[in-house]
Every structure is written in C-alpha cells, then in structure tokens.
Amino acid sequence: WAPMMSREQRASPPEKPNNSAHEEVKGDFVVRKDLIDVEDPSTEAVETGTSHSIYVKNLNFATSEEQLKQSFEKVGFHPRAVRIPTKAAPIKKGSSPKGEGETKQLSMGFGFVEFPSEDEAIKAIKSLQGKLVDG
C-alpha cells in the first residue's frame, strides 16, 4: 500500500529542508531536535515496565484461568496475569433449526502466563516443565 499522489505532487521537485539550528538532515529524513524530548518519562516506563510471558500448551479444555494461576502459586510463583484464549463454538441441539446461532465459549487448549521479571519466568518454566496442571 502507498499513499496516492496527484500528478502535480509527483512532478514538482521535493522541497529542500530548512537547515536551522533545530534541524539536522540525515539522508532522506529531517530530524527536528526541538521536538525530541530526551528525558521523556513515558519511554522510560515502557523500558522498565516490560513483561515476560510464557506459553503453556496442552491444557485441558476445562482448565480455567484461575486454576492455571493457582497451579503457579502452589509452587511459589506469583504471575502478574493469566490468559487462556477461547473461541466461540456452535452448540448442536438435535435437528431443530431453533438451535442455530447459539454458541459456547471453549478453551483453545493453551494459555499465557505473564511474570514481572524474566528470571521469575525462567524459574517457573524450569519448576513446572512437564508437570500436569489439570490432568
């Protein structure tokens, strides 16, 4: 995908950037130094607030997010968040057409467990590798 340009825009030569004290030309780009805030607290929060999620496969379809969280808490880990994706599945109710359109949320058989640090996520993987969660 590319933006559409009129013939006048394609035919006209590109404007030369204004090289003032606040602008620096780097190849095809102009960097405006007056727009850059070096001590932007929002970028710092992104770097320090990173999360580390692990993928848990082969879950029982009846396993809930709370059960998965409790299985990690039993061995001493405190996950930040637990998510088990679900999908809408149609419910079959005999052969009557009235049952059409009804759905039920079913687990997809896997989940994600988020930890506050990479070290805690690695320790959780090592301690629960190969263990049954909700056999």
Side-chain angles (χ1 to χ4, degrees):
W1 177 88
M4 300 296 291
M5 296 174 56
S6 67
R7 289 185 181 177
E8 294 82 27
Q9 290 174 329
R10 283 184 266 162
S12 65
E15 295 181 20
K16 298 216 175 195
N18 181 8
N19 284 336
S20 67
H22 297 290
E23 292 182 351
E24 180 181 341
V25 178
K26 291 187 175 183
D28 293 337
F29 301 98
V30 176
V31 178
R32 295 216 24 213
K33 294 179 182 177
D34 58 333
L35 298 177
I36 299 174
D37 187 7
V38 177
E39 297 181 21
D40 185 8
S42 65
T43 58
E44 183 179 323
V46 170
E47 293 172 11
T48 59
T50 59
S51 65
H52 303 279
S53 296
I54 60 173
Y55 171 77
V56 182
K57 65 179 186 174
N58 297 332
L59 288 175
N60 186 331
F61 294 113
T63 302
S64 69
E65 291 177 352
E66 187 60 33
Q67 289 170 323
L68 183 59
K69 183 177 181 179
Q70 287 174 358
S71 67
F72 280 89
E73 289 175 343
K74 283 180 188 176
V75 291
F77 297 103
H78 301 285
R80 184 183 294 170
V82 177
R83 294 287 171 249
I84 297 177
T86 58
K87 63 180 178 181
I91 298 175
K92 293 184 180 179
K93 288 192 173 186
S95 60
S96 71
K98 293 181 182 179
E100 290 183 28
E102 294 183 36
T103 61
K104 178 181 177 184
Q105 293 295 318
L106 294 177
S107 167
M108 295 181 69
F110 63 91
F112 300 95
V113 182
E114 181 182 335
F115 291 94
S117 70
E118 183 178 5
D119 292 338
E120 191 170 350
I122 291 171
K123 288 176 185 176
I125 291 171
K126 289 180 180 179
S127 67
L128 290 174
Q129 185 78 32
K131 304 284 193 259
L132 288 177
V133 174
D134 191 23

